[in-house]
Amino acid sequence: MRPTAGCENPAMVRIELQIELNYVVDAQGADFIVNIHAARTPCQTVVEESLLLSQAIAAPVHTDPVTGNRYLRLRALPGPLKVVYAAAVELAHHRDDPAQLAEVPVAQLPATVLSYLYPSRYCQSDRLIKLATHEFGHLQQG
């Protein structure tokens, strides 16, 4: 996919990433769902990617039609399991003049952004609110 709406006049950034996960699976085997694949979105293009598994098992990937997030499902066999994912991604960053951006009241936020408002294990919301209040709490809304 190439940049579309929301990505006009982009500043292209290329990111290369790799993740390695290592497990020892017990005698019953184990099911995994992992979110390690780079998303394919209008503003993010996966240029190249690879997935290596140490076991000869099926590795279907489900793509969420709304977010573009991709989920790998595995039924691992007993013993060691190594999962290695690597990708090169091009991001088209859209930039606007901050003075031209208006604040949107919570009641008017689009439904598509609501899932991003919940706390996440990747972002400690109690610490983030302290930082946001310290950095921006003195500013006028808008």
Side-chain angles (χ1 to χ4, degrees):
M1 265 185 241
R2 290 325 266 163
T4 59
C7 302
E8 302 86 8
N9 304 317
M12 294 300 284
V13 175
R14 184 180 176 103
I15 296 175
E16 294 182 4
L17 59 108
Q18 181 173 329
I19 183 168
E20 180 177 315
L21 304 172
N22 290 287
Y23 301 95
V24 176
V25 179
D26 67 17
Q28 290 78 34
D31 294 312
F32 291 83
I33 299 175
V34 294
N35 179 217
I36 57 175
H37 284 69
R40 290 187 169 118
T41 70
C43 297
Q44 180 168 293
T45 302
V46 179
V47 179
E48 57 187 79
E49 69 181 342
S50 65
L51 175 68
L52 301 172
L53 302 174
S54 64
Q55 296 185 4
I57 54 177
V61 176
H62 166 75
T63 301
D64 182 296
V66 176
T67 64
N69 288 335
R70 298 161 66 204
Y71 302 94
L72 173 67
R73 296 174 60 147
L74 304 172
R75 175 67 183 155
L77 303 171
L81 172 65
K82 180 191 253 185
V83 179
V84 181
Y85 174 78
V89 179
E90 288 183 351
L91 303 172
H93 288 284
H94 176 76
R95 297 180 188 218
D96 270 325
D97 177 4
Q100 302 300 313
L101 299 175
E103 181 176 346
V104 177
V106 172
Q108 294 176 12
L109 288 172
T112 55
V113 305
L114 298 180
S115 63
Y116 299 103
L117 300 179
Y118 289 105
S120 161
R121 66 180 170 264
Y122 304 109
C123 177
Q124 297 173 345
S125 55
D126 58 330
R127 295 180 68 190
L128 178 60
I129 191 67
K130 289 177 187 175
L131 172 69
T133 302
H134 180 264
E135 294 293 321
F136 309 109
H138 64 283
L139 300 176
Q140 225 179 11
Q141 288 187 347

